[in-house]
Amino acid sequence: MNSNHSLFSHAALQQPTSTTSDDRAQAFRPVQGGNDMQSGEKLLVEAYAAIWLILFALVFLSWRRQKQIDRRIDALEAAVQKARAGAGQGAS
C-alpha cells in the first residue's frame, strides 16, 4: 500500500515536458486581466425582464389583432343586415 501511495504522489508531481493540443484542452489556464464576469443576480433580472417584455409585446399584438378582427366582424354584420334589408324590400 505504501508503494502505491508513492507511485501516485510521484505521478502527480511530474509536469509534462511538452504540451500537445490534447494537453492544452484539458489543462486549466486562467485568463490574465480578464474581469469580465457578471453577477448571476443581474443575469437573472435581465432574463426575467426580457421574458416580461416579450410577453407584453405578444399581448399587445394579440389585442391589436383582435381589435382588427372585431372591426371586420362589425363591418360584415352591417353588410349582412343591409343585404337582408334590401332583400326584404324587394320581395314586397
Side-chain angles (χ1 to χ4, degrees):
M1 181 163 163
N2 201 3
S3 64
N4 285 341
H5 179 67
S6 65
L7 178 67
F8 289 126
S9 63
H10 179 63
L13 292 176
Q14 286 183 335
Q15 296 292 328
T17 55
S18 65
T19 57
T20 64
S21 62
D22 291 334
D23 293 337
R24 281 181 272 150
Q26 296 182 11
F28 174 74
R29 298 209 175 129
V31 176
Q32 298 297 324
N35 288 334
D36 295 337
M37 292 190 62
Q38 294 184 357
S39 72
E41 295 166 352
K42 181 180 176 183
L43 292 174
L44 181 68
V45 169
E46 289 174 354
Y48 271 108
I51 289 171
W52 278 108
L53 285 173
I54 291 169
L55 182 67
F56 281 131
L58 287 174
V59 168
F60 176 74
L61 292 174
S62 297
W63 172 74
R64 212 171 86 185
R65 181 172 288 174
Q66 186 62 43
K67 281 185 71 168
Q68 290 175 350
I69 292 170
D70 288 342
R71 280 184 283 179
R72 179 71 177 151
I73 288 173
D74 290 340
L76 290 172
E77 285 176 347
V80 167
Q81 284 189 354
K82 185 178 178 182
R84 284 185 183 163
Q89 289 177 356
S92 301

